[in-house]
Amino acid sequence: ACSSDDPEEDQTPRDGAPVLSGDGNGTIFDNNDGATPNAGGGLDSSQACVGREAGTELAPTIVELLVDTSLSMDDRAPGSNRSKWLETRAVVLESIELMPGTTSIGVTFYPDVEVGADACFDEEADVAVAPLGSESSAQRRELRQAFERENPRGSTPTHDAYRYALDELTKVEGIGERFLVLITDGTPTYALGCEGSGTPQDPADPAPLIPEAASALGRGIKTFVIGSPGSEDARESLSQDVELLAGEVP
C-alpha cells in the first residue's frame, strides 16, 4: 500500500531509494542455497512506496533502469534451468508491477548490437522515462513488451551505457529523487569509447565507473548496482560501486 494513512510501520528506506526484489527477503536472486544474492544486500519491491514522511506524500521517484543484455546473459543461471536473462526479466517485471503509479520508470538495454559491431552500444533508450500510472497503463504495457522483445547479444560496454543512461535521466523533467539502477551479470568487456576487444577473455577495468558514479551522486542521482545471476566473478567490483553509491565516497 502507498497510502499515507497506512497503519503499518513505514519500512521505506531512509534515503527514499527505489526497491526491487524477487522475494521480498533482501535478495534479488536466490538459487535456494543463498549463493547468488544481489550486490549491495537487496532492494525490496514490497517497500516500493517511497517518499512517505509523517503522513505526507513527498515528490515521486524517477528511475532509469540500465539492463545488461549482453550475450553472456543467455547462459544458464546458477541453480536454474532458465537463462540469466529470463531470471532477470521475471524479477524486474514483477518488481515494476508492485511499484506505485506515481513512480516514473524508463529502461535502456545494452548493448543492443551484435558482437563486433562498429559501435559497441546503440545509444538508444528502449522505453522513455514516464510515470507508471494505473495497472493497465500504456507505460506499464510498453515496459513489459520491451522486456519480452529483448534477447541477449553483443558484448558489455557498461561505461558507455552508464554515461548514456545518466544523460537520459538528467534530461527528464519533473521533481523527484532520481535513481539509476544498473543490472549486470559481470565485468565490462569494453572501456569507455568502445575501447578494447569486447571479449570476456580481455575484460575492461570497471574502476573508472567509480568517479563517474561519484559525479552523478554530486548531481543528485543515486545509483544502485544489482548483480544478475552469475555475477559472482564480478562481485568485488560491483561491491565497490555499491559502497560508493550508498554515499560512502572514497
Side-chain angles (χ1 to χ4, degrees), residues 4-219:
S4 59
D5 60 0
D6 190 340
E8 297 183 3
E9 180 181 357
D10 186 354
Q11 296 180 345
T12 303
R14 295 182 64 86
D15 63 0
V19 285
L20 298 169
S21 175
D23 53 13
N25 68 2
T27 59
I28 194 163
F29 297 112
D30 190 340
N31 62 3
N32 297 323
D33 63 4
T36 6
N38 68 296
L43 300 173
D44 181 358
S45 62
S46 68
Q47 302 170 12
C49 305
V50 299
R52 290 180 291 166
E53 184 178 64
T56 301
E57 291 286 346
L58 301 183
T61 301
I62 301 170
V63 181
E64 173 77 12
L65 299 176
L66 178 60
V67 185
D68 178 358
T69 56
S70 59
L71 193 57
S72 61
M73 290 292 284
D74 209 24
D75 295 342
R76 193 172 73 173
S80 171
N81 60 2
R82 300 197 300 176
S83 70
K84 292 187 283 186
W85 169 238
L86 291 179
E87 293 287 354
T88 299
R89 184 179 73 182
V91 171
V92 176
L93 288 177
E94 176 189 349
S95 300
I96 291 173
E97 287 180 0
L98 297 174
M99 290 183 181
T102 53
T103 299
S104 293
I105 296 184
V107 63
T108 297
F109 300 115
Y110 76 100
D112 256 2
V113 297
E114 302 297 336
V115 172
D118 290 339
C120 67
F121 167 53
D122 72 347
E123 295 191 5
E124 290 185 11
D126 292 87
V127 179
V129 175
L132 282 174
S134 68
E135 292 182 2
S136 58
S137 71
Q139 182 69 0
R140 290 184 188 270
R141 183 169 60 253
E142 188 174 355
L143 284 164
R144 174 169 288 279
Q145 290 173 347
F147 273 89
E148 291 175 347
R149 286 194 304 265
E150 195 68 20
N151 289 301
R153 57 179 177 151
S155 300
T156 316
T158 304
H159 199 159
D160 285 273
Y162 181 82
R163 180 171 286 187
Y164 173 83
L166 279 178
D167 186 56
E168 288 297 295
L169 192 53
T170 301
K171 294 176 183 176
V172 176
E173 297 182 355
I175 299 174
E177 289 196 271
R178 294 172 185 244
F179 301 90
L180 195 159
V181 179
L182 168 61
I183 304 174
T184 180
D185 72 334
T187 303
T189 57
Y190 278 113
L192 184 64
C194 297
E195 292 292 329
S197 67
T199 64
Q201 295 76 24
D202 183 26
D205 182 5
L209 279 167
I210 302 297
E212 191 90 41
S215 176
L217 188 61
R219 289 179 279 140

